[in-house]
Every structure is written in structure tokens, then in C-alpha cells.
Amino acid sequence: KKSNTDNLTRLALWLTIFLAGSGFCESIRAANVLQVGYASGRPGEDRVHMIVTATNDEPIHGYSLALTFPSAALQLTDIGVCGTHLVEHEPEFVAPQINNELGIAQLGVIIEFEAPTGENYLEPLAAQDSPRIIARLSFRVRPGAPGGYYPIRLVDGIGTPAVYNRFSN
């Protein structure tokens, strides 16, 4: 038979674990993740829009994106930061590069160029926060492209010089 003291000790231990766990969960930050969205379009359709989102656990002062796409079916017409969560930060440097023959694209962004340790940066997100949009892509589906799934992939090391999918702080 267990005493009331044993039960109170167990209850106190359980409450301590629960409360410590609850406080710990609130302070967990989001992982550093880049993700490409999805879209659909018909052959010959212009302005098929797609987003790239990010979560981060450290301040971001800049980032680079490198992606591939099937150029036989898709033509990338734009990659940039218009209409993203970055617009309010007014990045000082945005460098898109598209090669429709090779089916590759890159985007380099520096939020604050002169003083990268300044106050203009993307703050860390909490684990429960939604990812933020950091890039928008616009595609044209080539006429005659057969129906199907055409993956847009983040791939490290493409282009000359090679570009990698990275955050900078």
C-alpha cells in the first residue's frame, strides 16, 4: 500500500516534468527549412505562380536559392521577391538568374548590404509559426507539353559559380 506522501511526491514530480516540458516547448524555434510549393497549369498557359517558403531558427541577413526544373515542359519567366514577406524589409541586393536551356535558376538576396549586423533581418520563427514566403516563381507551360508531374527541385551546387541553398546571418 502506497502512502499519501508517495502519491504527493509522484504528483509533484509529474507536475514538474509537465511544467518544465511546457516551458521548453514554447521556446523551441523552427528548424531551418526551405520548401518549394506547387502549382498547376495547362499547355501554353502563362503566369503559373509558385512560391518558395522558409522557416529559420536564427536571424537571416541573406540567402541563396538554386533550383532545377524540366525545361522541355516549363519556361521560367521570373524569380524574385515581389509579393513575399521580404518586401517589407526592402532588401538591398536581389540577383535572379534564369537559364531556360539548362532548366536552372538561382536567386541571391542580401537584406542589408552595408551593415549586415544591423537591424534589418528576418527574425527567427517559433516552431508553431507558419513558414514565410521568400521567393515567387512564374512559369510558362510550353505549348504541347504532355500532362504530368514536373518537379521543381532545390539542388545545391548548380550554375557557374556554383550556388547553394543557404541562409546567411
Side-chain angles (χ1 to χ4, degrees), residues 61 110 112-118 120-121 169:
H61 294 95
I110 299 173
E112 190 170 19
F113 196 69
E114 292 297 322
T117 58
N120 194 11
Y121 58 87
N169 66 1

Side-chain angles (χ1 to χ4, degrees), residues 111-163:
I111 298 169
E112 190 170 19
F113 196 69
E114 292 297 322
T117 58
E119 296 179 9
N120 194 11
Y121 58 87
L122 292 177
E123 58 282 334
L125 295 174
Q128 70 273 10
D129 290 342
S130 297
R132 63 169 56 98
I133 300 169
I134 62 164
R136 287 197 178 268
L137 314 172
S138 291
F139 286 96
R140 177 174 181 262
V141 181
R142 295 191 186 271
Y149 173 76
Y150 296 108
I152 312 304
R153 294 193 173 110
L154 295 167
V155 178
D156 285 338
I158 63 169
T160 305
V163 175

Side-chain angles (χ1 to χ4, degrees), residues 1-14:
K1 189 172 185 180
K2 297 181 181 174
S3 70
N4 284 340
T5 305
D6 288 342
N7 287 337
L8 287 174
T9 302
R10 282 196 179 107
L11 179 61
L13 179 61
W14 182 83

Side-chain angles (χ1 to χ4, degrees), residues 19-130:
L19 293 174
S22 297
F24 178 73
C25 289
E26 288 179 17
S27 66
I28 293 177
R29 293 185 177 166
N32 292 318
V33 175
L34 290 168
Q35 193 168 20
V36 177
Y38 61 91
S40 62
R42 296 178 309 279
E45 188 174 346
D46 282 330
R47 290 180 250 125
V48 177
H49 302 291
M50 184 177 290
I51 60 172
V52 177
T53 60
T55 57
N56 56 296
D57 62 2
E58 295 291 330
I60 296 175
H61 294 95
Y63 59 90
S64 57
L65 300 176
L67 57 92
T68 63
F69 57 92
S71 60
L74 301 173
Q75 177 183 15
L76 184 59
T77 57
D78 188 44
I79 180 172
V81 297
C82 289
T84 70
H85 289 103
L86 223 60
V87 171
E88 66 192 48
H89 292 275
E90 298 179 17
E92 293 183 15
F93 179 81
V94 178
Q97 223 174 1
I98 300 170
N99 185 325
N100 278 307
E101 288 180 27
L102 297 178
I104 62 173
Q106 300 131 343
L107 179 65
V109 176
I110 299 173
I111 298 169
E112 190 170 19
F113 196 69
E114 292 297 322
T117 58
E119 296 179 9
N120 194 11
Y121 58 87
L122 292 177
E123 58 282 334
L125 295 174
Q128 70 273 10
D129 290 342
S130 297

